[in-house]
């Protein structure tokens, strides 16, 4: 393969797809896929995620300030895909 020079970008690829779970103050929960995940710090361990404000989970997380990041296995590809395309 021939070496190619790519134009600079702020996007780092590939990134892992993760499942994020959250719950609102009424106890309603939601799970969704996130592909925009990044490392913020290693000590203490911190990650960042990006969520569009029009998504349901954005409001849930803003309300409670809590969420969980789950790293799915290769065997969970179909389930992860389902969570990425299915909306309430």
């Amino acid at each position: 393969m021939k070496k190619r020079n790519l134009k600079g970008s702020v996007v780092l690829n590939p990134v892992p797809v993760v499942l994020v779970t959250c719950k609102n103050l009424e106890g309603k929960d939601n799970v969704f896929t996130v592909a925009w995940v990044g490392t913020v710090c290693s000590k203490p361990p911190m990650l960042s995620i990006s969520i569009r404000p029009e998504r349901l989970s954005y409001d849930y997380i803003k309300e409670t300030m809590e969420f969980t990041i789950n790293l799915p296995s290769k065997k969970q590809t179909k389930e992860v895909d389902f969570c990425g395309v299915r909306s309430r």
Side-chain angles (χ1 to χ4, degrees), residues 2 4 6 12 22 28 35 37 40 43-44 46-47 55 60 80-81 85:
K2 193 175 180 181
R4 293 179 7 189
L6 301 175
L12 186 61
C22 57
K28 294 180 182 175
V37 180
V40 175
K43 288 187 181 180
M46 290 193 291
L47 297 173
R55 300 291 183 207
Y60 283 15
V80 172
D81 185 55
V85 298

Side-chain angles (χ1 to χ4, degrees), residues 2-60:
K2 193 175 180 181
K3 182 178 177 178
R4 293 179 7 189
N5 289 323
L6 301 175
K7 189 172 142 182
S9 171
V10 296
V11 177
L12 186 61
N13 288 310
V15 294
V17 173
V18 299
L19 288 172
V20 176
T21 54
C22 57
K23 189 181 286 192
N24 71 3
L25 291 175
E26 295 175 2
K28 294 180 182 175
D29 55 9
N30 194 39
V31 60
F32 63 106
T33 58
V34 175
W36 289 56
V37 180
T39 303
V40 175
C41 188
S42 56
K43 288 187 181 180
M46 290 193 291
L47 297 173
S48 64
I49 59 173
S50 296
I51 309 166
R52 292 185 194 144
E54 52 276 356
R55 300 291 183 207
L56 173 68
S57 297
Y58 180 89
D59 292 330
Y60 283 15

Side-chain angles (χ1 to χ4, degrees), residues 56-75:
L56 173 68
S57 297
Y58 180 89
D59 292 330
Y60 283 15
I61 293 170
K62 191 172 178 182
E63 195 175 283
T64 64
M65 299 302 289
E66 295 179 0
F67 61 91
T68 303
I69 295 176
N70 306 276
L71 300 172
S73 70
K74 200 184 266 190
K75 293 179 182 178

